[in-house]
Amino acid sequence: MANTSSWKREEEIDEEEEEEEIDETAFELKIVFQTYKTLKDAVLFAIDVSPSMLTPPEATGSKKSDLSTPTIAALKCAYHLMQKRIISNPDDMIGVLLFGTEKSKFYGQDNSSPGNVSYPHCYLLTDLDVPAAEDVKTLRAFIEDQDESKALLKVSKEPVSMSNMLFCANQIFTTKAPNILSRRLFLVTDEDEPHSQDKAMRSAATVRAKDLYDLGIFIELFPISTGGRKFDRGKFYDDVIYRLSTTDPNSPVPLAGPTKAIGTSDGISLLNSLLSSINSKAVARRALFSNVLELSPGLRISVKGYILFKRQKPARSCYVWLSGEKALIAKGSTTHIASEDFENLRIVDKDEIKKAYKFGGDQVVFTKAELASLRHFEDPIIRIIGFKPLSMLPIWASLKQSTFIYPSEEGYLGSTRVFSALYQKLLNDDKMAIVWFVARKNAAPAIAAMIAGPEQFGDEDEQIIPPGMWLIPLPFADDIRKNPDTTVIKSPNSLTDLMRVVVQQLMLPKGKFNPQKYPNPALQWHYRILQALALDEDIPTQPEDKTVPRYRQIEKRTGDYVHQWCEELESQSNAWQQDNVGIVTGSKRGASAVAETNLVKRAKIPTANNGKVDDSAMRGHWKANTIKNLTIPLLKGWMEAHHLSTAGKKADLVERIEEWFETKE
């Protein structure tokens, strides 16, 4: 896939390079490090192959049940992540390493030469590299071919050494991804104490894990609870997994907490839980900038800025040259041509060109040094200039995309403690700081509101939004346009009261919008077609659009209230017409036409027996829109019998049950 940066004009690239140059000595080491390290992500899956990991879950009798073993489910997760990254992040690297297998395979080594196997019972299924379409096909074929997977996924008679596996992963990273900035090992296992009787092996594994950490390779553990046994991190992995945390007890919690252990009650549930856990940590957080936060003259701390929310677009298409043996990407170039007429054309060198701005009818020419001094307003800084109540921030004040900032100890020691104190003070007192913000050298200055954002979790207790500060750019006087002439039209209080009931019935669960439930249908459709063509899959006929309103559910919740509102609207309209005889109004569809719509006949709802609700009773509650009247124990009892997740609050349970009945219709 083409690199979009190669299509930029040369002068645009020069300006960006000038903007990235930072003269602060505090960040000198970081600049050198980033020029050496490539801003990519390398993920290596290390999947355990053991008898418990190869035991399929019990059959549930459901048509959608899946009997995939935990090992196969982990391989499917790697396959799904590879599918996703090959389009959205084409430069990232992904590999799959199996450990605990009877066969062994490493670079140039396999079971054909057992004496030369450096890492016994470690099988490199997919090498750590930028995935191509053939790699995705190969992994998919391995998952679907039961004979091939069964032949390879044989448990070794000897216990695998965790130290040996970690050293094997070390060699893979240092060989294939030595200059990658983000390198992570995704460890999927159900064994919480691999070396319970051997202290020497346990100590060796701890040393190997420390070696990975020293090289900048982080281990992400994805534990699985099998056989009714709960995974206990304290037995072994607390000494192996190095978390990014601070020593200050008053500082915000780390950006990423430990992954919750996943059960194996059903193959589909296991796969979905694994996908949810892996997707929450799949994308590495990359800093947008490093900057200085000045609380007062002489008091500075260092922070980093991140973009946590960014609108995604389909990857830019590219031109390819097909006349050779292999398709090659055609790179574009720009040539400047000057002429007074079409007969005397000549190529103009870059040194002969200067930039100019139009002022009236004249062109004001600037040299490169003059342009640099014009763009340079101040060195990068975030300076607090005052505080205001958070209620004074209007909804229209957000001018551009917000930036998330988090403390860093690179420039000033103790930055985390000071940042934590400021964060907690703003959060507890509902205050905001007004700051002067210059993101990078040669960047335009901005006035921004710095607010404290609390940590937010998902249904599975995974972190959705970390705790930290948000910089919201505010408009200058030059950015405010003249308001259009408008007339405020007020509705009668009776109509407002009836509409308030309709709005309350249509409130989202927990009263807020969760973007993770609504993928962009146009973007997903583009990627799905592209994936099908690249992997020789069947072309889908219809996109999956989760933003389509659930009309039946809306009618059940608000049908009666909407009819009441329409009747009141008709009554208010007739009264207004009688008071304003002779005034011509536009034609409209009478509300009585809507009110005459036949309502759904309410069925008699069976009651609960023995503290449980059977299917017919729950279906009756669903048709009558009274599921929300049932108690939480009744809801959870019915959901457990139908293998539905019981996580979340009552509104989540009700929505999950309603979705289940809608899929059965």
Side-chain angles (χ1 to χ4, degrees):
M1 187 168 292
N3 186 357
T4 55
S5 61
S6 61
W7 295 90
K8 296 181 179 179
R9 295 184 303 168
E10 295 179 2
E11 51 267 30
E12 292 179 355
I13 297 175
D14 292 340
E15 291 179 5
E16 291 181 0
E17 290 176 352
E18 292 176 3
E19 186 175 322
E20 292 296 332
E21 293 175 0
I22 301 176
D23 297 331
E24 296 289 341
T25 57
F27 303 111
E28 183 177 352
L29 292 177
K30 179 178 182 295
I31 297 172
V32 174
F33 181 76
Q34 285 192 349
T35 55
Y36 174 71
K37 297 287 186 179
T38 307
L39 289 176
K40 298 178 183 178
D41 190 25
V43 174
L44 177 64
F45 280 84
I47 303 174
D48 190 5
V49 180
S50 62
S52 56
M53 288 285 287
L54 294 177
T55 302
E58 297 180 359
T60 60
S62 175
K63 295 181 180 180
K64 295 184 178 182
S65 63
D66 184 11
L67 300 181
S68 297
T69 65
T71 298
I72 294 296
L75 288 171
K76 289 181 179 179
C77 288
Y79 167 69
H80 284 292
L81 184 61
M82 191 177 291
Q83 276 184 312
K84 183 179 178 181
R85 291 292 185 90
I86 197 174
I87 296 176
S88 60
N89 302 87
D91 295 330
D92 290 350
M93 307 174 73
I94 299 178
V96 178
L97 173 67
L98 305 175
F99 65 95
T101 57
E102 183 178 308
K103 296 182 179 180
S104 304
K105 180 183 176 182
F106 196 62
Y107 299 126
Q109 303 174 2
D110 53 26
N111 284 81
S112 60
S113 54
N116 297 327
V117 175
S118 302
Y119 308 101
H121 312 307
C122 293
Y123 194 94
L124 186 58
L125 181 63
T126 303
D127 195 8
L128 182 63
D129 204 346
V130 177
E134 289 299 326
D135 299 326
V136 181
K137 292 180 185 178
T138 302
L139 184 57
R140 181 184 63 187
F142 176 79
I143 295 173
E144 296 176 351
D145 191 342
Q146 297 183 359
D147 295 335
E148 183 182 358
S149 59
K150 187 177 295 184
L152 177 59
L153 299 178
K154 289 185 178 180
V155 183
S156 62
K157 298 178 181 179
E158 302 174 356
V160 64
S161 169
M162 293 298 296
S163 171
N164 202 38
M165 185 275 293
L166 294 175
F167 190 49
C168 178
N170 188 332
Q171 294 299 309
I172 294 173
F173 277 113
T174 54
T175 303
K176 302 295 293 187
N179 299 333
I180 302 298
L181 183 62
S182 172
R183 297 181 291 179
R184 293 176 295 166
L185 179 66
F186 284 5
L187 179 57
V188 185
T189 181
D190 67 339
E191 180 56 62
D192 54 5
E193 194 174 11
H195 302 304
S196 58
Q197 305 296 330
D198 195 333
K199 292 184 178 180
M201 296 291 290
R202 180 191 183 100
S203 177
T206 305
V207 172
R208 293 301 185 190
K210 183 64 168 56
D211 293 340
L212 289 174
Y213 179 79
D214 292 339
L215 291 173
I217 303 170
F218 294 97
I219 303 175
E220 296 282 2
L221 177 64
F222 297 94
I224 298 177
S225 298
T226 56
R229 180 175 58 88
K230 187 177 180 180
F231 194 97
D232 188 358
R233 300 169 182 271
K235 292 182 178 180
F236 176 76
Y237 284 100
D238 280 350
D239 298 331
V240 174
I241 306 299
Y242 290 83
R243 294 178 55 196
L244 296 177
S245 60
T246 60
T247 57
D248 188 358
N250 295 322
S251 64
V253 298
L255 289 179
T259 305
K260 185 179 179 181
I262 301 168
T264 57
S265 59
D266 176 68
I268 285 289
S269 301
L270 172 64
L271 177 61
N272 292 336
S273 300
L274 265 177
L275 280 174
S276 176
S277 299
I278 289 176
N279 286 336
S280 65
K281 296 185 177 182
V283 180
R285 290 185 173 92
R286 297 166 180 171
L288 176 67
F289 59 80
S290 293
N291 213 324
V292 173
L293 174 60
E294 184 180 271
L295 285 78
S296 63
L299 179 56
R300 293 186 173 189
I301 62 175
S302 53
V303 295
K304 287 187 176 182
Y306 302 84
I307 293 181
L308 300 189
F309 301 96
K310 184 178 181 181
R311 183 182 179 184
Q312 297 297 312
K313 300 179 181 179
R316 185 172 180 174
S317 60
C318 60
Y319 294 99
V320 293
W321 180 64
L322 302 176
S323 299
E325 297 180 358
K326 183 180 179 181
L328 299 176
I329 297 177
K331 295 184 179 180
S333 61
T334 302
T335 302
H336 297 279
I337 299 176
S339 68
E340 296 181 357
D341 52 51
F342 290 100
E343 297 180 357
N344 301 318
L345 299 177
R346 72 180 186 88
I347 298 177
V348 180
D349 294 333
K350 186 177 180 181
D351 298 335
E352 301 180 63
I353 301 176
K354 293 184 179 180
K355 280 197 172 182
Y357 288 95
K358 202 168 183 179
F359 186 81
D362 300 330
Q363 300 288 345
V364 182
V365 180
F366 288 87
T367 64
K368 190 174 182 180
E370 290 172 339
L371 282 175
S373 62
L374 182 65
R375 289 196 301 264
H376 181 73
F377 197 90
E378 188 181 359
D379 290 335
I381 196 170
I382 305 173
R383 180 183 296 114
I384 296 180
I385 58 180
F387 297 92
K388 291 286 185 180
L390 190 58
S391 58
M392 295 186 65
L393 181 65
I395 191 174
W396 48 262
S398 182
L399 186 64
K400 295 182 180 179
Q401 186 176 18
S402 302
T403 305
F404 178 81
I405 60 174
Y406 202 76
S408 171
E409 299 289 329
E410 290 183 359
Y412 298 90
L413 295 178
S415 296
T416 303
R417 178 183 292 272
V418 177
F419 186 92
S420 174
L422 178 63
Y423 164 81
Q424 294 176 11
K425 183 63 177 177
L426 294 179
L427 185 64
N428 296 334
D429 294 355
D430 290 331
K431 301 287 186 180
M432 64 176 176
I434 307 300
V435 300
W436 174 261
F437 176 38
V438 181
R440 293 177 297 273
K441 185 179 179 180
N442 297 335
I447 294 289
M450 187 172 69
I451 64 175
E455 186 177 21
Q456 298 184 18
F457 296 92
D459 295 337
E460 302 294 334
D461 291 333
E462 75 278 11
Q463 189 186 68
I464 303 299
I465 299 177
M469 301 280 201
W470 292 89
L471 293 178
I472 303 178
L474 302 178
F476 288 104
D478 313 79
D479 303 322
I480 300 176
R481 298 185 177 182
K482 183 180 179 180
N483 296 330
D485 296 332
T486 58
T487 303
V488 178
I489 302 176
K490 285 191 175 183
S491 64
N493 293 333
S494 57
L495 283 177
T496 304
D497 294 338
L498 290 175
M499 183 54 66
R500 182 182 293 108
V501 179
V502 175
V503 174
Q504 290 174 349
Q505 291 296 319
L506 295 178
M507 288 292 289
L508 295 170
K510 301 180 182 179
K512 59 183 179 182
F513 171 71
N514 184 6
Q516 291 192 333
K517 292 186 177 181
Y518 306 98
N520 186 340
L523 186 67
Q524 296 300 321
W525 179 243
H526 171 84
Y527 284 161
R528 186 67 188 90
I529 295 295
L530 187 59
Q531 173 185 314
L533 295 175
L535 303 181
D536 298 331
E537 298 175 347
D538 295 334
I539 304 296
T541 58
Q542 187 176 0
E544 181 182 4
D545 188 359
K546 293 186 178 181
T547 63
V548 175
R550 300 171 184 171
Y551 296 106
R552 289 190 55 188
Q553 189 173 344
I554 292 175
E555 196 279 330
K556 286 193 301 181
R557 289 187 177 183
T558 65
D560 297 341
Y561 303 112
V562 171
H563 296 322
Q564 295 176 13
W565 186 87
C566 292
E567 293 172 357
E568 180 64 21
L569 176 63
E570 185 74 18
S571 174
Q572 294 289 342
S573 176
N574 294 335
W576 185 89
Q577 291 178 4
Q578 292 177 3
D579 296 338
N580 299 271
V581 178
I583 299 178
V584 179
T585 60
S587 61
K588 64 180 182 66
R589 180 172 179 258
S592 58
V594 181
E596 293 175 359
T597 305
N598 294 328
L599 301 178
V600 179
K601 186 178 180 180
R602 305 295 184 185
K604 185 177 180 180
I605 304 172
T607 58
N609 297 322
N610 299 326
K612 295 183 178 180
V613 182
D614 56 19
D615 291 350
S616 60
M618 188 62 77
R619 180 175 290 274
H621 283 289
W622 173 66
K623 291 183 177 180
N625 193 28
T626 56
I627 297 179
K628 58 186 176 183
N629 296 336
L630 299 177
T631 62
I632 293 180
L634 289 177
L635 296 176
K636 288 189 175 182
W638 187 89
M639 295 175 73
E640 290 175 354
H642 291 76
H643 306 285
L644 297 177
S645 173
T646 58
K649 296 184 179 180
K650 185 175 181 180
D652 302 325
L653 306 182
V654 172
E655 183 182 13
R656 211 167 288 141
I657 294 175
E658 291 177 346
E659 290 178 354
W660 188 87
F661 278 108
E662 289 178 358
T663 57
K664 299 297 181 182
E665 287 296 309

